[in-house]
Amino acid sequence: MVFCGNRKAHLEYNRVTGSTSAWEDLGVHFQESNRAAVRSAILALLGFGYRLQLISAGSACIQQVTNEERLAIESAEHDRWLREKLLDGWPCAPNRSGPLRLNPSVVTTEELDATTKRLDFLPTETVLRHLGDLGYVMAPKEP
């Protein structure tokens, strides 16, 4: 499931940012980062009480989360990404440079602009949008 979702998350990232990078052209590290983001999104949804289920007749599924949950997921995803970057030696810099390992988003969630926060929620949006393609739904919380 994650294998398909990470490619879809990358395509969504390209759509939102205007990037044209192909999945196959990403380095192994960036591919794994996409996989980790999708796994983290699924775990965050499960942590809020949503349930991953196989699609069956009459399956209910969620399409969005509450604003409070969205903010928590954005923050958790940015914290995951930030730890990954810091462990790889990326400092904060005004301009991004892959070869130099510089990134302006190596800051706390509170310091991010709205566009970058949207990117932090993108893996979760992708999971909610494409789980059905894989035969699953994210079911509502138990009453």
Side-chain angles (χ1 to χ4, degrees):
M1 175 175 8
V2 172
F3 181 74
C4 296
N6 60 49
R7 290 174 186 256
K8 290 184 186 289
H10 178 67
L11 290 173
E12 287 294 313
Y13 175 85
N14 282 353
R15 183 184 61 76
V16 169
T17 64
S19 176
T20 58
S21 62
W23 173 260
E24 294 75 17
D25 295 336
L26 294 177
V28 173
H29 172 78
F30 290 107
Q31 289 178 352
E32 182 51 36
S33 182
N34 276 304
R35 289 183 191 103
V38 170
R39 284 191 297 266
S40 181
I42 293 169
L43 290 174
L45 291 166
L46 295 173
F48 280 113
Y50 298 107
R51 298 168 293 124
L52 184 64
Q53 296 181 333
L54 287 169
I55 292 176
S56 61
S59 293
C61 67
I62 63 164
Q63 297 297 314
Q64 58 187 17
V65 297
T66 68
N67 190 54
E68 179 180 282
E69 291 166 341
R70 180 188 179 100
L71 293 173
I73 290 169
E74 283 174 355
S75 181
E77 171 52 22
H78 186 71
D79 288 350
R80 183 206 64 77
W81 177 89
L82 182 60
R83 283 190 305 276
E84 178 184 284
K85 291 298 180 203
L86 291 172
L87 287 170
D88 285 342
W90 289 67
C92 182
N95 298 306
R96 187 183 191 291
S97 170
L100 297 177
R101 293 184 171 208
L102 303 174
N103 194 309
S105 297
V106 178
V107 295
T108 65
T109 303
E110 294 77 23
E111 297 173 82
L112 292 174
D113 59 52
T115 301
T116 304
K117 287 181 181 180
R118 163 117 168 68
L119 293 176
D120 284 334
F121 191 69
L122 200 56
T124 302
E125 286 180 338
T126 303
V127 165
L128 292 175
R129 188 176 302 119
H130 294 288
L131 269 178
D133 300 347
L134 304 170
Y136 290 86
V137 294
M138 193 58 70
K141 301 172 188 180
E142 290 287 341

